[in-house]
Amino acid sequence: MRMEKYIELEHITKVFPGQKALDDVSFSVNKGEIHALIGENGAGKSTLLNILHGVFPATSGTVRIEGKEVHFANASEAIAFGIAKVHQEISVIPEMTVAQNMMLGKEPKKRGFIDNVKMNEIAQGFLDKLHCTFSATDKIGDLTAGEKQMVAIAKALQLNAKVISFDEPTASLSDAEVEVLFGIIRELQKNGVTILYISHKMDEIFAMCERATVLRDGKYITTLDLKDCSEETLIRAMVGRDISMFAKRTRPSRCQKDNVILKVDHLSGEVFSDVSFEVHKGEILGFFGLVGAGRTEVMRAIYGADKRTGGTVTYNGKPLMCKIPTDAVNAGIAMISENRKEEGVIPNLANMDNIAVSSLKKYEKGIFVSDAMKAENSRNVGEKVGLTPNDPEFMTVSLSGGNAQKVILARWMSTDADLMIFDEPTKGIDIGAKAEIYSLMEDMVESGKTIIMVSSELTEIMGMSDRVIVMREGAVVREIPREEFSEDNILKYAVGGK
């Protein structure tokens, strides 16, 4: 049977300041199919959907629907055309009813006032189509995550959507809710709705989708017919590259396998549970996982930035219970956040103050803090990390991303921290700066420090780690020693492969 092209994306390129998020992407989606859009974190999937949904325009390229070129000035125009999106996290107004949330801004009127009876009747009709067990008059804040997902789908139907995209729709759903969602998606397909489906879960992709388009580093790689495709083939298409030359160890490992400095037993928090692992002195332990895996949350719980709900942590043989990050700093643990802008540098401070902020006692002269001592330390440690410009009085907010990251590294090198937690240490910085950061990490372990590195870049994880802990959906699923590293092997566990 000849398939009818419904959505055609031709030579789509999207450039943000300093980054090409999409590079000449072309593929098509057939009418009424469930089409997967897959790739690693940062592959360009969400950017592509945002262009289709009118959130922002492509820098160049053409979008055609049913053979006609479309240009959406905003998301409202895309919705009016019949293109809706069900987000991973549903945005609702908790105190309002289901019907009020569904029809916000499009309420039926009677004599100039909102017709609540009619509104509830319309909303309930769409909920009934989806076999929902809750009512249009229920307060949406009382619903489960899965029920809110159903409301989002009902809203898409109410908008008479011809295309619905789902971005990681099962991330917060129970198994029972996932089965209901899958049933709804198949029913939508039977009614002629075209579905775009983003997921990192291989079992879902093969269970739900007919074809999968693979993006890698902002480029189109291939579109595969899933009935003729193996899981290994799909994963290879997603990763398909060699370890970059700059992300590799250049010096012998300093890992002392018989010296455990951090032991985590059955640690649980809001989005992860029963996490156990050990860290050996002098090693670089990598943590890998895809969106929602819970890696950062585990680190924040150890560091005292997030609350634990269970489990124990032992550091240098003693129980560690950090209620706030200061407790971790006092114990000799540093954490370099992936969110440099909000949790890293302090915008209105110069380099010497940003570097000194976690070790102020070192610069005390009597009751005062010595600017001269801070400046001297800033110059010394700035030289070690290759900070440019290495000017103590230069405002950190004016530095490039790579140099801002060096300021944060310099800050923690100025403390007595022995365990460094790096969360996405090279996120958003160029290749040259990455190579310098990797060299600094090797300097640190050579000087006796230990590093836990959370990263979404497989090249980085494989190039720098002595071991890798793979997490998926809030749980540790595999520990992989260096001799068993391969992109296919690591990604297989991250996406739930067997």
Side-chain angles (χ1 to χ4, degrees), residues 397-416:
V397 73
S398 300
L399 293 174
S400 67
N403 280 295
Q405 189 73 317
K406 289 176 186 177
V407 166
I408 302 169
L409 285 171
R411 174 191 301 166
W412 293 114
M413 288 171 71
S414 302
T415 70
D416 297 321

Side-chain angles (χ1 to χ4, degrees), residues 202 206 229-238 488 492 498:
M202 289 292 109
F206 280 93
C229 174
S230 69
E231 191 176 279
E232 290 74 18
T233 301
L234 197 58
I235 290 173
R236 199 170 297 116
M238 287 172 66
D488 289 4
K492 175 175 70 176
K498 299 178 179 59

Side-chain angles (χ1 to χ4, degrees), residues 129 161-162 200 462:
K129 279 186 184 179
K162 296 175 282 189
H200 287 301
M462 293 175 60

Side-chain angles (χ1 to χ4, degrees), residues 237-304:
M238 287 172 66
V239 298
R241 62 185 184 277
D242 296 326
I243 294 291
S244 299
M245 290 302 291
F246 62 86
K248 66 176 185 178
R249 300 286 283 272
T250 59
R251 294 167 243 177
S253 171
R254 297 290 173 173
C255 178
Q256 301 173 23
K257 293 183 179 179
D258 58 346
N259 187 352
V260 175
I261 69 158
L262 185 78
K263 185 174 173 59
V264 176
D265 285 307
H266 309 294
L267 191 68
S268 296
E270 285 189 9
V271 301
F272 63 90
S273 62
D274 200 27
V275 169
S276 299
F277 63 93
E278 294 180 348
V279 187
H280 306 129
K281 185 169 180 61
E283 85 169 318
I284 300 177
L285 175 65
F287 264 75
F288 183 76
L290 300 173
V291 173
R295 302 161 301 160
T296 294
E297 289 80 1
V298 169
M299 300 307 147
R300 287 176 59 85
I302 293 169
Y303 190 64

Side-chain angles (χ1 to χ4, degrees), residues 45-163:
K45 307 181 299 293
S46 294
T47 301
L48 197 63
L49 282 190
N50 282 333
I51 290 169
L52 179 64
H53 288 278
V55 176
F56 45 66
T59 304
S60 62
T62 305
V63 179
R64 286 191 174 85
I65 297 177
E66 292 188 289
K68 296 176 183 176
E69 193 170 327
V70 294
H71 300 276
F72 302 129
N74 50 52
S76 297
E77 284 190 11
I79 290 168
F81 191 87
I83 301 177
K85 185 176 184 181
V86 177
H87 294 267
Q88 177 181 344
E89 295 179 3
I90 308 303
S91 180
V92 298
I93 303 172
E95 297 305 314
M96 293 174 71
T97 68
V98 169
Q100 287 169 335
N101 270 277
M102 271 181 63
M103 307 193 73
L104 192 63
K106 296 186 180 296
E107 301 90 344
K109 301 284 177 62
K110 187 175 182 180
R111 298 193 187 100
F113 295 96
I114 293 173
D115 187 342
N116 285 302
V117 174
K118 184 71 173 174
M119 180 174 68
N120 292 336
E121 185 183 306
I122 293 170
Q124 191 63 51
F126 286 104
L127 296 177
D128 291 343
K129 279 186 184 179
L130 298 177
H131 314 294
C132 296
T133 56
F134 54 90
S135 166
T137 56
D138 288 344
K139 192 166 76 171
I140 203 165
D142 295 334
L143 303 187
T144 66
E147 288 170 338
K148 288 173 187 170
Q149 199 86 294
M150 292 300 130
V151 174
I153 297 170
K155 185 172 183 177
L157 291 179
Q158 179 249 324
L159 295 167
N160 198 27
K162 296 175 282 189
V163 177

Side-chain angles (χ1 to χ4, degrees), residues 171-274:
S172 55
L173 305 189
S174 67
D175 289 345
E177 288 171 334
V178 168
E179 284 306 311
V180 171
L181 176 65
F182 286 176
I184 297 303
I185 291 174
R186 290 189 183 103
E187 200 168 315
L188 291 171
Q189 183 189 28
K190 284 179 187 173
N191 292 330
V193 177
T194 302
I195 307 289
L196 283 164
Y197 194 89
I198 289 183
S199 178
H200 287 301
K201 300 176 182 178
M202 289 292 109
D203 52 351
E204 287 185 11
I205 295 293
F206 280 93
M208 292 299 300
C209 304
E210 292 144 273
R211 294 191 301 154
T213 289
V214 182
L215 298 181
R216 189 197 312 146
D217 300 328
K219 293 182 172 68
Y220 170 81
I221 302 302
T222 186
T223 297
L224 297 168
D225 194 327
L226 292 173
K227 71 176 184 297
D228 302 322
C229 174
S230 69
E231 191 176 279
E232 290 74 18
T233 301
L234 197 58
I235 290 173
R236 199 170 297 116
M238 287 172 66
V239 298
R241 62 185 184 277
D242 296 326
I243 294 291
S244 299
M245 290 302 291
F246 62 86
K248 66 176 185 178
R249 300 286 283 272
T250 59
R251 294 167 243 177
S253 171
R254 297 290 173 173
C255 178
Q256 301 173 23
K257 293 183 179 179
D258 58 346
N259 187 352
V260 175
I261 69 158
L262 185 78
K263 185 174 173 59
V264 176
D265 285 307
H266 309 294
L267 191 68
S268 296
E270 285 189 9
V271 301
F272 63 90
S273 62
D274 200 27

